[in-house]
Amino acid sequence: MVEALVTAAAVTVGAGAACAMAAARVVKQYERGVVFRLGKLRPAVRGPGFTMVVPFVDRLAKVNMQIVTMPVPAQDGITRDNVTVRVDAVIYFRVIDPAEAIVQVEDYRFAVSQMAQTSLRSIIGKSDLDDLLSNREKLNQGLELMIDSPAVGWGVQIDRVEIKDVSLPETMKRSMARQAEADRERRARVINADAELQASKKLAEAAHEMAEEPAALQLRLLQTVVAVAAEKNSTLVLPFPVELLRFLERSTPRQGAEERDADGRAEGSEGA
């Protein structure tokens, strides 16, 4: 009789321990527990720590609440200006409603991935190549809105979407390189022409000042001689007064006219 009682007590204790072990659950700090009782969702979401469920009746589903970093596979598309590109991106999201993430969608990770791929292809078709290369922040915001709209109903919040890389065909890269080179050459020519214009204006002002003060021209000539002599070369610089050139220029036509007059008088006298 005593042995039967002891055996029954042991069986009861073992069954209770087994039931306790089957009912015990541990939810981690970054997780939340969603309980289904006989297939029906329980309204209370289990927080982190130790929790109990009814064995063989309740089922506890754990949902990760951490921010998930998911790469979006590269998508081929044609931009609005008919350029073939290949674009990949990365998306950051997290679950804000664990019950909705379990009930409303079969696999919220897969659903977000597919939505990101289709939205990325749509963004490519609506954008120009220049926007993809230089205006990515605006495209990222538009892509985030396109993904976040359906994701809200799944209990998922999109934190950020970033376009990682835009791959172009080799022919397009060469064309862009030639365009950039031509643009730089154009800017260089414009800057050079502007410099020549400014230099000509300054030289005109300097010539006007020197015309009023002839001594300034002699001083400038002496400065040029000193600059050439400082180079230690074999060049011989001989200053020549500019006034002498002007005198010769004024006197040359007069002397020629006098010689022609003299020749004419001589011929007249010989004829007489």
Side-chain angles (χ1 to χ4, degrees):
M1 183 65 181
V2 176
E3 293 180 357
L5 292 175
V6 172
T7 303
V11 170
T12 303
V13 172
C19 292
M21 293 178 61
R25 295 289 187 274
V26 176
V27 180
K28 296 180 181 180
Q29 182 65 37
Y30 55 84
E31 294 177 336
R32 296 296 183 270
V34 179
V35 179
F36 292 90
R37 178 164 296 173
L38 298 177
K40 185 177 181 180
L41 177 67
R42 301 293 297 172
V45 176
R46 306 295 175 89
F50 180 80
T51 185
M52 299 287 292
V53 297
V54 179
F56 311 109
V57 176
D58 292 345
R59 183 178 67 86
L60 180 67
K62 299 179 182 179
V63 181
N64 194 331
M65 305 294 291
Q66 292 176 311
I67 295 178
V68 180
T69 303
M70 177 182 295
V72 181
Q75 302 295 313
D76 294 324
I78 300 176
T79 62
R80 190 168 56 182
D81 49 353
N82 297 324
V83 178
T84 303
V85 294
R86 185 178 180 87
V87 183
D88 59 351
V90 60
I91 181 172
Y92 303 88
F93 67 93
R94 61 189 180 94
V95 177
I96 58 176
D97 191 339
E100 294 291 331
I102 294 295
V103 175
Q104 297 297 329
V105 63
E106 181 180 1
D107 186 350
Y108 66 88
R109 290 175 180 264
F110 181 75
V112 171
S113 176
Q114 295 301 310
M115 180 58 65
Q117 294 181 38
T118 55
S119 300
L120 182 58
R121 294 179 66 89
S122 178
I123 284 291
I124 293 174
K126 295 179 181 178
S127 305
D128 294 330
L129 179 60
D130 293 338
D131 293 335
L132 290 175
L133 296 177
S134 60
N135 198 12
R136 293 189 181 182
E137 187 65 28
K138 183 179 179 180
L139 296 180
N140 292 338
Q141 295 177 359
L143 189 58
E144 179 179 347
L145 291 176
M146 293 180 65
I147 303 174
D148 190 61
S149 297
V152 171
W154 304 336
V156 177
Q157 179 181 355
I158 306 299
D159 287 343
R160 191 169 182 83
V161 182
E162 294 284 350
I163 295 177
K164 294 171 57 178
D165 188 26
V166 179
S167 300
L168 300 175
E170 292 297 329
T171 55
M172 180 58 63
K173 292 181 180 179
R174 289 194 294 267
S175 299
M176 294 178 65
R178 289 195 300 268
Q179 179 183 359
E181 184 178 358
D183 186 66
R184 288 193 297 268
E185 183 68 21
R186 178 185 62 82
R187 291 199 301 266
R189 291 183 179 180
V190 170
I191 293 173
N192 190 20
D194 188 42
E196 292 292 338
L197 177 61
Q198 294 180 10
S200 63
K201 291 181 179 179
K202 294 298 182 182
L203 289 175
E205 294 177 2
H208 180 72
E209 294 293 334
M210 290 182 180
E212 295 180 356
E213 297 291 339
L217 184 60
Q218 299 296 330
L219 293 176
R220 181 58 184 165
L221 182 60
L222 293 176
Q223 291 179 354
T224 304
V225 173
V226 172
V228 174
E231 297 295 332
K232 297 181 180 180
N233 52 25
S234 58
T235 303
L236 178 61
V237 179
L238 180 62
F240 194 81
V242 179
E243 288 79 2
L244 182 57
L245 294 177
R246 293 177 180 174
F247 174 76
L248 294 176
E249 182 181 359
R250 289 193 301 268
S251 62
T252 299
R254 185 181 308 169
Q255 292 178 359
E258 292 176 355
E259 291 177 357
R260 287 193 299 270
D261 293 340
D263 292 340
R265 288 195 296 269
E267 291 177 357
S269 62
E270 291 178 357

